[in-house]
Each structure stands twice: as structure tokens, then as C-alpha cells.
Amino acid sequence: MYTAHPDRYADMPYRRVGRSGLRLPALSLGLWHNFGPADRSVEHQRAILRRAFDLGVTHFDLANNYGPPPGAAESALGETLKGDFAPYRDELVISTKAGYLMWPGPYGEWGSRKYLLSSLDQSLKRMGLDYVDIFYSHRPDPDTPMEETMGALHSAVQQGKALYVGISNYSAEQTREAARILGELGTPLLIHQPRYSMLDRRPEDEGLLDALDELQVGSIVFSPLEQGLLTARYLGGIPEGSRAASDSPFLHSDAVTEELVGKLRALDEIAKSRGQSLAQLALAWVLRGGRVTSALVGASSAQQIEDSVAATRNLDFDAEELARIEAVIKK
């Protein structure tokens, strides 16, 4: 029988999400491609979840299509929730999303009311839950009126199947429109989940972070380690068995150029001067200044989650460090 560590809240920083009463840990655990596949044992996955919670990671983030196969991550979490975390449900924030392809036919993806609410029902069944804490529209639908998509999120709250709602992969303009519609319905937009890292500045460059500040909406960023590029794995090029060396659609080998490796090595030197690994530097950077509420990390071992959580011990940067990072990125 699992018993959570009594000091699990001692060291993790928690940040308020926008103007809501909810706080998230600075680091949240994303259950993407490391949860659900048949080649990952149930016990191995449970060990990661247990260690994360023991370290104060109270937020587990999913989507309907996480796995593989689609739905497997939610099913895997459901087993652990039933076996380990049932006494701690009210200490957990569990989120899921719908928007990408989940089942065949015209009702199996995008942003229609039929798809979103059907998907949420399926997600709840897989996880063995009565509700999720946050339900997201995973991507904007170019063919469905925003009013319908946001209306479906509102209905999820009204039906008691979600406590809060969020959006992911929406532009700054789309975010403003979503927030307006939800506000008129009486269900505030809680949070946005964009991709953001030292190597991917689009939320800054395209005004999304400015829009979230203006709207007082929280943010939780995915891929802060840029699919593993911002770790020690690629300091010597492409290692055998890495994501870039495989046929992964998320990181191609041609992305790992000599120029990039040079930048990674320079960033690694900055990290060492701060007493951090490159990955810890990358996580601290996205969390700098409190503008980002939480950073999503994946983990294939308990040690990885420990290393990631250690980044929260030093989230402050002086002007010289930030200037050195910018000089490396822009050269």
C-alpha cells in the first residue's frame, strides 16, 4: 500500500493560475509518450507517479490521444489512481484535452460539441473519475464556430465533469476571443498550454504571453526541453537510441546541426556556472520571473523527475546570465 511522503509540500513552489483560486506546482508531470505503451511496465509507471507526488508534483496532465495507442495514458493513470492515489484525489489536479484525432469518422477530432463532450465522457471512464480538474480544447477548429467549442467547455463545467477549462495551441487573437466568449458564459478561461522553450520563443514573439498577462489567464508550457534537445543527450551530437536517431515525428535528425550543438554546449557551460544541468537551466528559464505558471515535463524514470524538480531550487537569473543566454541563442 502506497503512503505519500509526509513532507511532499515542503519544497515545491506553487503558483496561482491567473486570477483563479487554483495553484499549480512550478513543475507538472505530462503523461505523454512515456505512459501507456505495452513496453512500459505498470510498476515502472507507478514508480514515476509516486515519486512525482512525493516531491510535490500534484498536477498530472493528459490528453485523450496520449499513449500509444490513443487512450492508453489515461487508462494507465486510471489504474494508478485506483491502486495508489484514491485517498489523495483531492490533493491532485488532473487535466485532459480533446482536439486531435481520436476515433474514425467525422466526429472523432477537432472542436465540435459532439466530439468534445463525447471525448470527455470516454476520458473519465478510462481514468475512473467523476470529473477532471481542467478540460482543454487541444487545438482551435477552423471549421467550427468558437462559440460552439467554448460552449462545450462551459457545458463540461455545468455538468460537473470539469472544474476549470483551458485551451492549447491557440494564437493570441484566438485566446482573446475564447476568453471573451467563456467570460460571457460565466466560465472563466483558466489556462493556456502553449509550446515554449529557450529555442522556441513564439509565445513571446507572437504576443501570446502579453495576451495572457492582459487577460489574467495562467500558462503551462509544454516542450520546455524542446523534445530533449535541451538536455545533455545531444551535447556530442545524435546519440544512438535517442529520439532524433529514431523515426519519431517529433524530432528529426536534421534538426541537430553542428550550429545547434555548439549552442547547446555554450548553454551547458552557463548551466554549470549556476550549479545546474542544461535541462535544469532550460526549465528554470521558462519559469523565470513568474510569468509562466508551470512547466510540463515528461519522465521515463523516477530519477528524471527528481532531476527536473531540482531545477526549482534556483529559478532566479541575474541580468548577466540572461544576456549570456540571449547571446548564445541569437548568434
Side-chain angles (χ1 to χ4, degrees):
M1 173 67 74
Y2 166 70
T3 301
H5 197 286
D7 297 328
R8 57 191 175 277
Y9 298 116
D11 299 319
M12 174 63 71
Y14 295 87
R15 296 179 169 186
R16 189 169 299 279
V17 189
R19 59 182 176 180
S20 77
L22 184 67
R23 291 192 295 163
L24 291 182
L27 287 180
S28 298
L29 182 61
L31 310 188
W32 187 35
H33 275 221
N34 292 324
F35 283 79
D39 61 347
R40 305 287 171 89
S41 74
V42 171
E43 284 306 312
H44 181 74
Q45 294 171 98
R46 288 176 72 181
I48 294 171
L49 292 167
R50 288 174 173 179
R51 188 61 183 137
F53 188 53
D54 283 345
L55 292 170
V57 178
T58 54
H59 180 209
F60 300 152
D61 179 77
L62 301 101
N64 57 356
N65 63 333
Y66 287 178
E74 289 179 331
S75 296
L77 177 63
E79 289 300 312
T80 303
L81 290 174
K82 181 172 61 177
D84 290 336
F85 291 119
Y88 306 104
R89 173 63 184 99
D90 292 335
E91 298 182 43
L92 293 171
V93 174
I94 297 170
S95 60
T96 196
K97 315 176 198 72
Y100 286 93
L101 181 64
M102 187 59 189
W103 61 82
Y107 320 120
E109 62 178 325
W110 293 108
S112 71
R113 179 180 181 84
K114 179 171 177 59
Y115 168 65
L116 290 174
L117 295 179
S118 296
S119 176
L120 178 56
D121 284 342
Q122 293 181 21
S123 292
L124 292 174
K125 184 175 181 179
R126 281 190 290 268
M127 291 186 283
L129 295 174
D130 296 323
Y131 70 94
V132 291
D133 296 275
I134 308 171
F135 182 48
Y136 288 86
S137 167
H138 206 166
R139 61 173 172 171
D141 184 343
D143 298 318
T144 297
M146 184 85 76
E147 288 81 1
E148 179 175 341
T149 300
M150 295 305 110
L153 297 184
H154 171 66
S155 291
V157 174
Q158 293 297 103
Q159 293 168 7
K161 296 175 182 178
L163 301 185
Y164 302 93
V165 299
I167 57 177
S168 182
N169 299 303
Y170 280 56
S171 69
E173 181 181 357
Q174 290 167 331
T175 298
R176 287 191 174 92
E177 180 68 359
R180 181 191 66 78
I181 295 168
L182 285 168
E184 290 177 355
L185 291 170
T187 296
L189 176 61
L190 176 79
I191 196 166
H192 190 297
Q193 188 173 132
R195 180 169 179 158
Y196 182 47
S197 75
M198 285 196 291
L199 299 178
D200 188 344
R201 306 293 186 87
R202 284 175 292 177
E204 291 179 11
D205 299 339
E206 298 173 1
L208 177 61
L209 294 185
D210 290 337
L212 297 178
D213 288 343
E214 172 192 322
L215 296 166
Q216 294 183 278
V217 170
S219 59
I220 178 168
V221 300
F222 69 91
S223 292
L225 302 181
E226 203 60 31
Q227 298 296 318
L229 286 177
L230 289 168
T231 69
R233 294 201 78 183
Y234 295 93
L235 295 176
I238 302 176
E240 186 176 341
S242 66
R243 184 168 288 172
S246 70
D247 58 357
S248 170
F250 305 108
L251 180 61
H252 299 288
S253 59
D254 56 9
V256 188
T257 62
E258 288 186 17
E259 178 185 9
L260 176 62
V261 171
K263 290 183 178 183
L264 297 179
R265 290 172 178 166
L267 291 171
D268 187 55
E269 290 302 314
I270 298 172
K272 288 176 180 175
S273 72
R274 289 169 49 84
Q276 293 179 316
S277 67
L278 175 55
Q280 289 166 346
L281 172 73
L283 292 171
W285 186 87
V286 299
L287 291 167
R288 74 198 186 285
R291 201 174 191 192
V292 166
T293 311
S294 185
L296 275 168
V297 295
S300 56
S301 68
Q303 181 64 52
Q304 278 191 358
I305 196 69
E306 290 172 5
D307 291 344
S308 293
V309 168
T312 64
R313 297 171 190 158
N314 185 9
L315 299 179
D316 296 324
F317 291 82
D318 59 36
E320 181 184 357
E321 288 172 327
L322 291 173
R324 288 175 64 195
I325 291 170
E326 291 306 296
V328 169
I329 296 296
K330 293 179 179 179
K331 71 178 181 181

